[in-house]
Amino acid sequence: MSFLPFAAAAWLFVVGLWGVVTSNHLVRTVICLGVVQASTYLVLLGVGYRHGAKAPIVADVSPHARLVDPVVQVLVLTDIVIEATVAALLLALVVQAHRRFGSVDPARLRALRH
Amino acid sequence: MSARARTILFVVAGAGLLAVLLVGLGALPPFGHFRGALGHAVMARELGARHATDYVTALNFDLRAFDTIGEEAILFAAVTGVVMLMRHMREEDQSQRRRRAEDHRFQGASEALRVQALLMVVLIVAFGIYLDLHGSLTPGGGFQAGVVLSAGPAVVMLAGRYLTLRRVAPDWVIEAFESGGAAGFVLIGIGGLIFGDAFLQNFLPYGTPDQLLSAGTMPLVSIAVGLEVTGGLLLIFSEFLDQSLLSTTEGQ
């Protein structure tokens, strides 16, 4: 059981890649990339978790209590911000591709053929 | 490459990748038994002295603040990229199209929905400001608050008052939010150089824990980040909405 979070993360990574590879719609490709990134959140949070520990907010918990590692949580926060902005940039590119090629099917983008 | 060949290639490669990932992740300490020295040392020696009760914010806006500036730069660059891409597409005869877009109203926006939206905006903005100011005390901080704050005007857009909003908060106001936030963060960093020893060093008194004005520069950084995220997200929303309004009026 203790391996389950990491197994789920590996699964999410590969499933997201599967979605990117087989996608027939560029918006779907962007969403699948988000699934790939979600696996990194799981790995980081899974790494930092300690049994019986509390969240690293010491407003109503003693600072000497057993706390979850805050360092990886900050990394996840950074990760989420980057994911959101990259998704926005990619979606803008999708709009641009639709304007230029009249399609959002990756197989129909003329510039990408050959 | 045909779709079929690509699928077969991925099934083989993906199975290999999954195996490698599982073996690699299996070598980590078991779930729930993390004994990372860094987090422990940081909590024991550094964070307690900073009088912030939210350790995640303390790391993000103080100990790791230099990283956070890099993160902000990525956010800034991505938003600039979106704006450039979208505006590049509508260079031709924009004023005429915009005038046509002025007439656009969402068909389903009833009076009740609009009143509701107004009510929501007040609540959302109040909650966003609360999150921003209490970043060093409770879960929250600039990034989360920025997302919440930008949701307020987004509700107005969804209720069909998009162009009213554009008059109240035109692009230059939103852009000023974004760049002002980014500049504010760097200025606080330079303040560390002037009043302290290093860039981004905390140079204000730490105050009493659990008070609103505690944890030194963290609340200021939180406000700067909040401004930037709010401005950046609003710019993204309004660029995409502009685009969709223009394409619907073009279709008519």
Side-chain angles (χ1 to χ4, degrees), chain A residues 1-7 9-11 13-15 17-19 21-23 43 45-51 56-59 63 66-75 77-79 81-82 84-93 95-97 99-100 106-107, chain B residues 6-7 10-11 14-15 17-18 21-23 25-36 38-40 42-43 47 52-57 59-60 64 71 74-75 77-79 81-82 85-86 88-90 92 97 137-139 143-144 210 236 240 243 247 250:
Chain A
M1 272 305 278
S2 74
F3 186 62
L4 199 59
F6 300 128
W11 174 246
F13 192 99
V14 176
V15 161
L17 271 187
W18 166 259
V21 169
T22 59
S23 165
V43 172
L45 292 176
V47 159
Y49 184 72
R50 303 164 80 196
H51 280 306
I57 318 282
V58 293
R66 202 177 155 83
L67 297 175
V68 167
D69 191 347
V71 176
V72 284
Q73 298 205 345
V74 177
L75 293 179
L77 176 59
T78 306
D79 206 354
V81 174
I82 303 302
T85 52
V86 166
L89 192 57
L90 287 175
L91 287 173
L93 284 170
V95 174
Q96 174 88 295
R99 260 287 168 99
R100 188 146 297 180
Chain B
R6 194 166 51 185
T7 310
F10 182 78
V11 167
L17 178 68
L18 186 64
L21 274 177
L22 287 175
V23 170
L25 291 171
L28 285 171
F31 180 70
H33 294 279
F34 182 63
R35 289 185 301 274
L38 181 64
H40 203 73
V42 157
M43 277 197 278
L47 295 178
T53 49
D54 180 353
Y55 282 173
V56 178
T57 304
L59 273 165
N60 208 16
R64 262 184 88 244
E71 181 188 348
I74 295 177
L75 179 77
V79 171
V82 169
L85 273 172
M86 300 300 255
H88 175 70
M89 278 184 271
R90 317 187 288 264
E92 71 277 24
R97 286 197 195 163
L137 303 173
T138 48
F143 288 106
Q144 296 90 325
D210 271 337
I236 291 177
F240 276 104
Q243 184 64 36
S247 41
E250 249 171 71

